[in-house]
Amino acid sequence: MAESPKPSSSGRSIGAVAMRWHGNSLELLDQRLLPGEEHWITLEGAAGVAQSIRDMVVRGAPAIGISAAYGVALAARHAGGGDWKAEIKQAIRELAASRPTAVNLFWALQRIEQVFHECHSLAEAVKRLDQEAVAIHQEDLAANIAMADHALEFMAPARPISVLTHCNTGALATGGYGTALGVIRRLHEEKLLKDVFADETRPWLQGSRLTAWELARDGIPVTLNADGAAAAIMARKNVRWVIVGADRITANGDVANKIGTYSLAVLARHHKVGFMVVAPSSTVDMSLASGSDIPIEEREGLEVREIRGIPLAPAGVRVFNPVFDVTPASLIDAIVTEKGVVRNPDITGMRALFG
């Protein structure tokens, strides 16, 4: 069995852990219960992993992709041995159907499926799919650290600054360290961070439940705010950058991210605050020309009408509940990946870095 990622050789902490791989099972931290309870779910098959992705036990585009890769490895580990190829193919289809927007899911599945097609026996598939899933996990962690390096070089803050972030882009959403939150973590390590304003991020409250939990856990200064307070915070000139993640980035630099990101980009431009998107290159989908081509997932209205069974709105009231919105490239100052930075992104800059 290949080993799961460990803290980096530089001594940096990778932050909280969202998943633990044991070869014949995958443990996922149930992020729906945070911060009140740290509960781990043990999964031994691809169907359980797919359901956990759908139910948002695990969330965040990179973490979804890594979990799906482990799901395929589990499918091989527990295949019956008869038509084992058919069983693994079915697992890949089921995992691919779990979430429609996060391109990392499909990137990870395509990568591990390519390895699967090279396998001539079930024993070979078990070994190689395990190794490939762990490699995807390890590479994501390394990419997060590289992104933080690129972002700090680009920002070049001369003194400690305050930033604002949305949703959760930390170790819980990735293979460790974080994307946008990884940049914030690095600012703190370099003593260049004054404060983090964390949007609560309705309706799932990933900002209050997860981002604030991660930052407070690691001793990083954080101020939690209602989503609607972001404009007031920017107007008071309390932040220099808005730093967010992404679930899909198109060829022209448009970005799909957690609902509310587009609003922040508009506010940032009005208040002359920098707007940075931080995501691994696996989030970039050069096959889509623009954000209008991105499928936007809509979830059930119950998520908005109540929280953990407590009613917040009249029963049965109509709800518009998109999970993501699209921020036009024209409102983005920089897209940061492990490959480098695209400044003022457009199709020319995107092609120069991603082909």
Side-chain angles (χ1 to χ4, degrees), residues 94 246 279:
E94 189 169 359

Side-chain angles (χ1 to χ4, degrees), residues 297-352:
E297 177 185 0
E298 291 189 33
R299 294 175 67 87
E300 60 177 321
L302 196 65
E303 294 178 353
V304 177
R305 290 196 297 267
E306 65 178 49
I307 291 181
R308 295 184 178 176
I310 301 173
L312 300 178
V317 69
R318 285 185 296 174
V319 170
F320 178 52
N321 187 25
V323 183
F324 309 98
D325 55 27
V326 175
T327 300
S330 59
L331 294 176
I332 299 170
D333 292 294
I335 293 175
V336 179
T337 76
E338 77 280 10
K339 292 185 175 182
V341 180
V342 181
R343 302 167 183 248
N344 303 314
D346 58 15
I347 192 165
T348 302
M350 293 294 291
R351 283 177 175 169

Side-chain angles (χ1 to χ4, degrees), residues 5 31 37 108 135 137 166 215 230 246 249 258 277 300 308 314 323 341:
Q31 299 186 31
E37 180 182 353
H137 193 169
H166 190 67
L215 294 174
I249 303 172
K258 184 58 58 183
V277 175
E300 60 177 321
R308 295 184 178 176
V323 183
V341 180

Side-chain angles (χ1 to χ4, degrees), residues 98-109:
S98 59
R99 294 291 296 271
T101 303
V103 72
N104 306 64
L105 170 65
F106 309 106
W107 171 86
L109 289 175

Side-chain angles (χ1 to χ4, degrees), residues 34 43 51 54 67 88-89 115 160 183 188 196 209 214 228 250 260 292 295 309 334 341:
L34 291 172
L43 305 165
Q51 189 64 48
R54 281 192 293 271
S67 298
I88 296 174
K89 287 178 182 178
V115 172
V183 175
H188 176 68
V196 183
R209 293 190 305 103
E214 275 199 55
T250 60
S292 61
V341 180

Side-chain angles (χ1 to χ4, degrees), residues 186-233:
R186 178 62 59 78
L187 284 167
H188 176 68
E189 291 170 352
E190 299 296 330
K191 296 181 171 45
L192 291 171
L193 181 68
K194 183 178 179 182
D195 197 6
V196 183
F197 290 90
D199 279 359
E200 62 179 356
T201 319
R202 283 278 289 145
W204 269 79
L205 299 172
Q206 294 99 322
S208 59
R209 293 190 305 103
L210 306 179
T211 295
W213 178 80
E214 275 199 55
L215 294 174
R217 172 185 178 272
D218 292 341
I220 299 173
V222 57
T223 299
L224 181 66
N225 60 272
D227 294 358
I233 292 169

Side-chain angles (χ1 to χ4, degrees), residues 7-92:
S8 67
S9 58
S10 64
R12 297 188 182 99
S13 168
I14 66 172
V17 177
M19 64 196 74
R20 298 191 293 225
W21 176 240
H22 302 291
N24 61 351
S25 67
L26 173 67
E27 283 188 294
L28 294 177
L29 178 62
D30 191 342
Q31 299 186 31
R32 301 169 300 180
L33 302 179
L34 291 172
E37 180 182 353
E38 294 183 40
H39 174 69
W40 290 85
I41 296 175
T42 301
L43 305 165
E44 296 184 349
V49 176
Q51 189 64 48
S52 293
I53 293 171
R54 281 192 293 271
D55 292 344
M56 295 182 72
V57 171
V58 61
R59 25 66 54 210
I64 287 171
I66 296 164
S67 298
Y70 282 133
V72 178
L74 286 175
R77 176 77 62 173
H78 298 288
D83 195 352
W84 58 273
K85 286 191 174 182
E87 291 184 41
I88 296 174
K89 287 178 182 178
Q90 175 58 30
I92 292 172

